[in-house]
Amino acid sequence: MDVVFVSGWLILQASYPVFEGDNVDLRCQGKEDNEIIDRIYYKDKKKLDEYENKECFTLSSVSTDNGEYYCSASRKIVWALYKWTEHSNHLRIQVQELFSPPKLTARPSEPIEGRPVALKCETWLPPQRSHIQLQFCFFRGSQALGAGWSRSPELQIPTMWSEDSGSYWCEAQTISSMIRKQSLPSQIHVQRIPVSDVNLEVRAPGGQVIEGEDLVLVCSVAKGTGTITFSWHREGRVSLGRKTERSLRAELPVLAVKESDAGRYYCTADNVHGPILSKWIAVIVRVPVSRPVLTLWTPRAQGVVGDVVELHCEAQRGSPPILYRFYHEDVILGNNSAPSGGRVSFNLSLTAEHSGNYSCEADNGLRAQRSHQVTLNVTVPVSHPVLTIRAPSAQAVVGDVVELHCEVQRGSPPILYWFYYEDVILGNSSAPSGGGASFSLTAEHSGNYYCEASNDLETQRSEAVAVNIIVPSRNTAGVVGGLLSILGLAAAAVLLYYFRTQRKSGGIVTGTPGYRPNESSESSLSRPSGTGPQELELVYRNENPEDSNLLYSQILIIQQAKGNSANSSRLRQEDKVGMVSWLSFSSAGPLLYFGTYCLCFYPGTPSHLFRVEEGTPRGLPRAGRQ
């Protein structure tokens, strides 16, 4: 604050120095303030009513528009009857510039298109006001650049384009925005570089253009600035696409490429100086294989073991070379290649194991495709059948039910079996699922039996099997006698003698354990009448045992008693001795049972007689004496 000395009674005082935007305090003061009744302020001789009777008032944010100020005051004189008016000195406030108008500079002053440029807004604050903060804003034409107002006096533009050429200017202002100043406009011209070295590149997944997949055509330039217009062309067509970008490269996607998209391509680039062409590039579209078709060729209507079957596999579409693989139930059989495409064949000599599902696979390195499955049923001709005879015992007897069983080891079902007796058809039986078949008949005739097997491919006949059917006589004594004569007449005599002595002593058991002769057997015995001496008579009768492997005979010993009739009746009851014998063929040799005694015959050894205890199962004696 500078003090100005004046000779007047009333003075007007103001602070100094004053800069733009400052607040200026004006004070109207007299030599004797207590005598001042009222105060009036003036600016450029105009009364400022709002500040009347104030000792001091403030001019807010003054500008360079300077004015002339003074004041007046009324004073009361005690000895006078009226008021006296005093006027102050005239004061012109000198407002200094807070900062000069800014200046805009660009580095570089002539930027190249596509490159950055730095703008700077320059101004200075006086030392007395160096603490004041300023903020800046840059403009091109009427459009603010960047983020708007900023405390930084610089603005970095990363890329300048030719269309960015024009008039640039900046503004600076205080934080309160009371003081704002603008720079002079500056013309900036952005230079453009023509395009050069145009190149076309084909990009595809895996490096190959495959039908059905996407393709990208990339057009690029080595040099060139600004907005570049790229266009793509294929031989025979005007244009595939067009793009305008501020870049040295552009891409054109081709979706779902077709085989017809193959050909020669080129692209052009232009940034106002005229289009520049790239070199031609050939695009080859590779086609993945289609699903192949498998066909089977056999010499006959159906595959037969030993036949050679041809497997043909072909894919209708696909870029060569194509590799074909052949499968049987997912097991690879072999492969074959088609260097120029088309179909291939694979030969297979059929065995019984080759029945099942067949497929083939085509692969050209782009994709592998498997055909639908084709089923092949390999028919196996029947092998030589084998006939077996199943009888109730080792020796078939007339009336037995005999089972003829015919079976082949190999052959595809269904198999039909025919059964023959001396070239006479007995009957047939079918095996729908393979295996053997049986035919039952009642044994009547001895002779040769055989069978045939057929499955519509081949008919095979078995070897003949000779069957001897035994015809039993009415009196089995001849059979027993024959056996006794064969096995040893001496043993039979001893046995007969032993029976006689046991009968006289009462030691013969009438019947085998668990067996009771039926009434018909007993009633059918011949019983001579009379009182004279009676001869010992053996009566034989055939029975049917439960075990089909045993031949039974009932043997009754009848002796006529001597003496009176009463004694004869008693003796006849005593002399009637019922015994059962049966012949069993086992590993031990034939066994001939007579009641509780067994005569055992072993081939090449002497005969043995055993006594069988009560309850012993039929077949072999459990204990006894020899």
Side-chain angles (χ1 to χ4, degrees), residues 113-356:
E113 192 173 32
R115 297 180 182 178
V117 67
L119 302 178
K120 188 173 183 180
C121 191
E122 296 180 302
T123 187
W124 298 268
L125 288 168
Q128 299 91 333
R129 297 294 186 268
S130 61
H131 63 280
I132 295 178
Q133 291 184 342
L134 299 179
Q135 53 185 3
F136 305 89
C137 188
F138 298 85
F139 298 87
R140 184 182 72 238
S142 60
Q143 182 181 1
L145 302 177
W149 290 98
S150 171
R151 292 184 180 183
S152 173
E154 294 187 1
L155 176 66
Q156 187 77 21
I157 300 177
T159 307
M160 292 291 286
W161 305 107
S162 61
E163 55 267 29
D164 293 332
S165 299
S167 177
Y168 288 78
W169 54 279
C170 69
E171 282 186 344
Q173 70 176 14
T174 59
I175 297 298
S176 62
S177 303
M178 298 303 297
I179 307 301
R180 177 184 296 182
K181 295 183 179 181
Q182 179 179 328
S183 71
L184 293 175
S186 177
Q187 292 296 322
I188 298 178
H189 178 69
V190 181
Q191 298 182 5
R192 171 167 289 185
I193 299 176
V195 296
S196 62
D197 298 332
V198 182
N199 181 62
L200 176 63
E201 180 185 359
V202 177
R203 288 187 179 178
Q208 300 184 91
V209 181
I210 302 175
E211 184 184 47
E213 296 187 358
D214 297 341
L215 168 69
V216 179
L217 301 176
V218 182
C219 191
S220 62
V221 296
K223 295 181 180 180
T225 60
T227 302
I228 302 176
T229 300
F230 298 90
S231 62
W232 292 265
H233 305 266
R234 181 163 65 92
E235 187 177 21
R237 295 185 60 180
V238 177
S239 177
L240 296 174
R242 186 184 182 92
K243 283 187 176 182
T244 299
E245 296 185 2
R246 291 175 179 172
S247 174
L248 296 179
R249 55 182 288 152
E251 298 180 354
L252 178 69
V254 180
L255 304 179
V257 176
K258 300 182 291 294
E259 188 176 12
S260 59
D261 291 330
R264 296 200 306 163
Y265 288 76
Y266 71 94
C267 72
T268 65
D270 184 13
N271 65 346
V272 183
H273 295 281
I276 305 298
L277 277 67
S278 70
K279 293 182 178 180
W280 292 83
I281 186 170
V283 174
I284 300 174
V285 179
R286 297 205 64 200
V287 180
V289 293
S290 60
R291 183 187 291 273
V293 176
L294 176 66
T295 56
L296 304 182
W297 182 87
T298 56
R300 293 177 259 193
Q302 57 184 353
V304 179
V305 169
D307 288 350
V308 176
V309 62
E310 292 184 10
L311 285 74
H312 299 277
C313 189
E314 183 176 11
Q316 297 298 321
R317 300 182 72 248
S319 299
I322 302 175
L323 179 64
Y324 292 92
R325 300 181 184 90
F326 295 87
Y327 295 87
H328 173 227
E329 302 292 357
D330 293 328
V331 176
I332 189 167
L333 298 173
N335 59 66
N336 206 344
S337 179
S340 303
R343 76 174 186 175
V344 297
S345 300
F346 183 82
N347 293 338
L348 181 66
S349 181
L350 295 180
T351 65
E353 291 74 22
H354 283 143
S355 291

Side-chain angles (χ1 to χ4, degrees), residues 524-536:
S524 63
L525 296 175
S526 60
R527 301 177 179 176
S529 58
T531 60
Q534 301 295 325
E535 297 293 330
L536 179 66

Side-chain angles (χ1 to χ4, degrees), residues 6 13 16 83 120 233 243 250 277 334 345 359 410 432 434 439 445 490 515 524 573:
V6 294
Q13 297 173 326
Y16 182 85
K83 295 187 299 183
K120 188 173 183 180
H233 305 266
K243 283 187 176 182
L277 277 67
S345 300
S359 62
R410 290 183 296 105
F439 182 82
H445 305 289
Y515 172 78
S524 63
Q573 293 296 327

Side-chain angles (χ1 to χ4, degrees), residues 44-45 548:
D44 297 330
K45 299 181 181 181
S548 60

